[in-house]
Amino acid sequence: MSSIPGGVRCCSALVTAMSLPFIGLGAVVDSVRVGALGLPASAVMFVVPVLAAVLLVYRDEGRTAVWALLRRAFDYSAAPHKAWYLAAAGLPVVAAVAAHGIARGFDEADGGVPIALAALPFVVIATWFAATCEELGWTGYATDPLQQRWGPAWTGIALGIYWAVWHLVPLAQVGHEFWWIAGWFAGTVAGRVLIVWLHNVTGHGVLAAILFHAMLNVTAVATPDYDEPIVLIIGGALLTLAATAAACSWRTGRHNHLSLSRP
């Protein structure tokens, strides 16, 4: 692979540096629990990717380009086929339901829904906002320049690894064990490959990435036995299978019509 584009390199360095104070906060402030998901104080670093992207876009292109970047969060018209947005929202739900069902079939899970249904709309709003902040950085700013150098599959894998590593300290701060984190890590990298795929098939918009990311977080809150490593391992395997199918579609030339200029 050729070298990382300069803007993306600056963005990754800036994201890493700006995340350190939040990680420090997570070390001294107790975590909270939302449904099945433990959230350390460091989880508020979801604001960092969009802040880094805005700073770099403003430096390089000015205020007008910043507004263009932010508007991409609402680019519903970008997709030639709107059903892709349903796929973006539905894939994480299908993977989570299947993972819990398989674990339950092996008698490794038997819990009920860990959050009141009345609270779910508030969870959706909060996760949507957090996903928007992250995806304006990961997808809106970084993905297309990386695809120009590396292609979609390697972009998904490389960006997915960075995205997963970025979360490791917060996950450790809430006490997750090795196998839980291993399953989550695999699912997160696969999820990023799928986000790149959805980004491409929806006309290089950001909205599909936001939908997929938000629903990953909603299912983390609402999936029974989400603390059980087996649920994360099975979920990670299912998302990896889906990501492999997406990568195969790139290899055969389908859904790989790149138009990579950033508005």
Side-chain angles (χ1 to χ4, degrees), residues 72 75 78-79 139 143-144 147 196 198-207 256-261 263:
R72 297 189 71 192
D75 56 0
T139 299
T143 293
D144 285 341
Q147 288 197 93
V196 174
L198 288 163
H199 171 66
N200 289 349
V201 298
T202 55
H204 296 270
V206 179
L207 181 56
N256 195 27
H257 305 294
L258 300 182
S259 176
L260 300 178
S261 59

Side-chain angles (χ1 to χ4, degrees), residues 231-258:
V231 174
L232 274 293
I233 291 169
I234 294 172
L238 293 174
L239 287 173
T240 299
L241 286 174
T244 301
C248 288
S249 78
W250 284 319
R251 286 182 63 86
T252 58
R254 290 179 292 142
H255 308 315
N256 195 27
H257 305 294
L258 300 182

Side-chain angles (χ1 to χ4, degrees), residues 92-261:
V93 177
V94 170
V97 171
H100 182 261
I102 293 169
R104 193 180 182 92
F106 285 108
D107 292 325
E108 297 292 338
D110 59 3
V113 177
I115 189 169
L117 293 180
L120 277 179
F122 301 98
V123 171
V124 170
I125 292 169
T127 55
W128 184 287
F129 177 72
T132 299
C133 289
E134 287 198 41
E135 292 308 324
L136 284 171
W138 308 135
T139 299
Y141 183 83
T143 293
D144 285 341
L146 285 173
Q147 288 197 93
Q148 288 179 311
R149 295 286 183 90
W150 297 348
W154 281 113
T155 294
I157 292 168
L159 192 55
I161 290 172
Y162 179 86
W163 186 36
V165 169
W166 185 66
H167 283 85
L168 286 182
V169 173
L171 292 177
Q173 287 175 337
V174 293
H176 289 302
E177 61 179 278
F178 173 81
W179 288 111
W180 190 99
I181 291 176
W184 175 91
F185 197 101
T188 297
V189 175
R192 180 54 54 183
V193 173
L194 289 168
I195 286 173
V196 174
W197 174 66
L198 288 163
H199 171 66
N200 289 349
V201 298
T202 55
H204 296 270
V206 179
L207 181 56
I210 292 170
L211 275 170
F212 186 93
H213 188 156
M215 292 311 297
L216 277 179
N217 291 339
V218 169
T219 57
V221 169
T223 299
D225 302 296
Y226 190 74
D227 280 339
E228 295 295 329
I230 187 66
V231 174
L232 274 293
I233 291 169
I234 294 172
L238 293 174
L239 287 173
T240 299
L241 286 174
T244 301
C248 288
S249 78
W250 284 319
R251 286 182 63 86
T252 58
R254 290 179 292 142
H255 308 315
N256 195 27
H257 305 294
L258 300 182
S259 176
L260 300 178
S261 59

Side-chain angles (χ1 to χ4, degrees), residues 48-61:
V48 168
V50 68
L51 291 177
V54 164
L55 288 171
L56 292 171
V57 169
Y58 182 78
R59 181 198 67 179
D60 296 336
E61 304 175 52

